[in-house]
Amino acid sequence: MSASLDSRVNAIRAVALVGPAAAGKTLLLDALLAHAGALPQAGSIERGSTVSDHDPLEKRLGHSLQSSLAHFTHGGIRVHAIDTPGAPDFVGQALPALEAADTAVVVINAQNGIELMAQRLMTTAGERGLARLIVINKIDAAGVDLPALLAQLREVFGRECLPLNLPADGARRVADCFFAASGEADFSSVADAHRALVEQVVEVDAAFVDRYLTEGDVDPRELHAPLEQALREGHLIPVCFCSAKTGAGIGELLAAIEALMPNPAEGNPPPFLEGKGTEPAPYPVRPDPAAHALAHVFKIVADPYLGKMGVMRVHQGRIAKGGLLYVGHARKPIRVAHLFMLQGARHLEVDEALPGDLCAIAKVDDLAFDAVLHDAQEDEHIFLRPLDFPTPVHGLAISPARRGDEQKLWEVLARLVDEDPCLRIEQTGQDGMHGQQTLVYGLGELHLRLLLERLRELYKGEVLTEPPRIAYRETIAAPAEGHYRHKKQSGGAGQFGEVYLRVEPLARGAGFEFVDAVKGGTIPGPFMPAVEKGVRAALASGVIAGFPLVDLRVVVYDGKHHAVDSKEIAFVTAGRRALIEAVRAARPLVLEPVVQVEITAPEHSIGDITGDLASRRGQVNGTRVAVPGSLIVQGLAPLAELASYQSRLNAMTAGQGRYTLLLSHYDAVPPNTQAALTAAYQGTDEPD
């Protein structure tokens, strides 16, 4: 690596602003941009003039719906920042930002305290090995108890959370606690905070421990290497105070990002893996511009003018305009006709991108979320360890008002699903009532409502919807056997295939296993994929209530074939019908999604809320203080019982309550619910 390129990579910072809704991340980014001189002044949510909330829908609603990028250069440091939405329904936009950053800046609203999204994102960032910086925003808000909030942070996230600065002059400014050994603050003590920070940092380096014990203090300017080690190991989680509204602490936060947060060579290496199969090996990515290029696509944008655009983080090598790149396993390279850095809605063309840079290429149909771009074919089996996204369980049936528009609607939906890894789309077959249906699954009512808003803008036609459907599943409770002989003769060559199989229940969440246990060639090897295809078709459409079958093993152990009449279609049918017969004899069950629910509400409403949750087959696991006068109730409840829950919560809390849901697991529905779902199912039972 040349010295000049090395210094350029060392001068890059990549941060993701994450945290709950209303924490002020969007205004915080604008304040940083303005302080760095990249904006003449910070924008306004009310005027729709912020850099990152540039989508018309975001401006109309007044909050972020998707991640957005911006960058600036200040003090010789280039900072890439990703603003992310905070609503739990849009976590599919927030989580991928962590794959592109070296530092997770977790923003907390001083008025609301520690919310579920902050906890979740702190945990994920720690699991990905990112440096974490907590920013307490809105320190100037009336009635906030900042000492109590700092104590709560340390209680929830660990004693590693130490203030890098403290509010001073009635929260009109902040006092540095790392480089300054003394000073005035609104609470606590700058000297004590300085001592705690230095002691926490030197603990990772024995030589500095000896110096500290001998000399009583160490110049913080000498602590860069142990500080980066402490951040990498999670031994230190700095806490900064600020107000994006007044500008208090913004300069200090910018200085902390530039001087203390890791560059691409100082953070933990990203979890790249290499190889095929179930046991790939870790791949050591190096932020060296001279190495093979490796970049990871963490965001897809369907741009109306540029087509499909892939937003990526360069992890290794150098990507240049006009260069050639391979997308994953593709054998044919693509040419980088244009290379962009994004500034909200603006696309700024650049000539190259180095390790640590966030950039975008457009008009490449082969791009997909999570793709790895590389410039050497031998790197085709390198990939980034996937994120653990929540399972979308809120369903909606969508159809075009005009017949014949099904394909057009599907194509528009597919584009929107490309952009969000927490949206899922599927088509059902004939269900006896509505024919073929397009189902979309998301993380909540808001997620699906915003999908419909964007769909109507892009589709330019009327869309019909049915009430949200719960993503029920089917499974079995006992082993059983099934058999089917498919035989058709219609003049000339016929169809013949016979399959014997058994089904066995697996643990919840285990999925599906297909086992070929046929001996003696009673079903020839070339026909076994057809049997599996038939089995999988039955799994997808369900047996007793029309929901996908999960958590079972299918063992095909015998069958018969005919030298002339056996064809793939015959074994597809035999496999499907044998599976249906076996499942019906295996004590089939309908499973329902059970969600973790976290409800934040005024203290006086908690009795009503816990009683209501119990009446909905829920259970309360505990309560804790959110902020003074407000409690958080944590529990489990079937998703089906929480339809339109916000209106019920509004009635119990006079509109002051809010809640979040996260899939926990699947469990069997009550017998009366299963009977109703089974009775409503009008699946066909006619022979093929």
Side-chain angles (χ1 to χ4, degrees), residues 3 15 52 117 122 162 174 272 538 576 634 667:
V15 302
S52 53
M117 278 292 283
M122 277 287 288
L162 294 172
V174 299
F272 275 93
R576 187 176 70 83
Q634 294 171 312
D667 210 348

Side-chain angles (χ1 to χ4, degrees), residues 452-672:
L452 286 176
E453 291 263 10
R454 295 199 62 204
L455 178 64
R456 289 181 175 118
E457 287 179 7
L458 295 172
Y459 172 63
K460 308 297 185 188
E462 188 180 352
V463 176
L464 305 178
T465 64
E466 293 184 29
R469 295 184 175 187
I470 302 299
Y472 292 107
R473 297 289 182 260
E474 297 178 20
T475 192
I476 58 173
E481 298 197 350
H483 158 250
Y484 191 78
R485 169 186 279 200
H486 179 73
K487 184 176 181 180
K488 275 189 177 181
Q489 200 73 38
S490 55
Q495 295 180 12
F496 181 85
E498 189 167 7
V499 172
Y500 291 82
L501 56 77
R502 63 177 174 270
V503 294
E504 303 166 359
L506 296 177
R508 291 277 191 274
F512 164 64
E513 292 180 19
F514 182 84
V515 180
D516 176 3
V518 172
K519 307 293 184 186
T522 54
I523 300 178
F527 289 127
M528 192 53 69
V531 176
E532 183 175 355
K533 182 178 179 181
V535 166
R536 287 186 179 274
L539 294 178
S541 59
V543 172
I544 62 168
F547 302 107
L549 270 155
V550 296
D551 303 338
L552 74 162
R553 178 185 293 117
V554 176
V555 181
V556 180
Y557 63 87
D558 201 1
K560 290 181 183 177
H561 73 285
H562 186 278
V564 176
D565 290 348
S566 284
K567 297 177 176 64
E568 284 191 6
I569 184 63
F571 280 101
V572 169
T573 301
R576 187 176 70 83
R577 300 293 299 184
L579 189 280
I580 291 172
E581 180 180 290
V583 167
R584 285 176 174 160
R587 286 170 40 207
L589 297 171
V590 176
L591 303 176
E592 65 180 343
V594 177
V595 294
Q596 297 176 33
V597 57
E598 183 171 285
I599 306 163
T600 304
E603 197 169 348
H604 60 79
S605 306
I606 298 304
D608 291 340
I609 288 169
T610 55
D612 180 73
L613 203 59
S615 72
R616 296 170 181 268
R617 297 190 285 127
Q619 62 183 62
V620 175
N621 294 336
T623 60
R624 61 181 175 83
V625 175
V627 291
S630 179
L631 290 179
I632 293 174
V633 179
Q634 294 171 312
L636 295 170
L639 180 64
E641 298 286 345
L642 297 177
S644 303
Y645 184 65
Q646 186 63 57
S647 59
R648 175 72 178 149
L649 186 60
N650 288 343
M652 292 186 287
T653 64
Q656 298 180 63
R658 61 186 186 278
Y659 73 102
T660 60
L661 302 179
L662 182 65
L663 179 68
S664 172
H665 61 281
Y666 271 83
D667 210 348
V669 300
N672 60 329

Side-chain angles (χ1 to χ4, degrees), residues 419-430:
E419 296 182 338
D420 191 334
C422 288
L423 283 171
R424 184 167 56 83
I425 182 173
E426 64 182 48
Q427 282 184 326
T428 64
Q430 298 292 326

Side-chain angles (χ1 to χ4, degrees), residues 86-123:
D89 282 17
F90 304 113
V91 73
Q93 293 286 321
L95 290 177
L98 299 177
E99 297 186 305
D102 298 306
T103 301
V105 178
V106 181
V107 185
I108 289 175
N109 184 336
Q111 295 172 293
N112 296 343
I114 302 171
E115 299 175 75
L116 180 62
M117 278 292 283
Q119 291 179 275
R120 181 171 186 194
L121 291 161
M122 277 287 288
T123 299

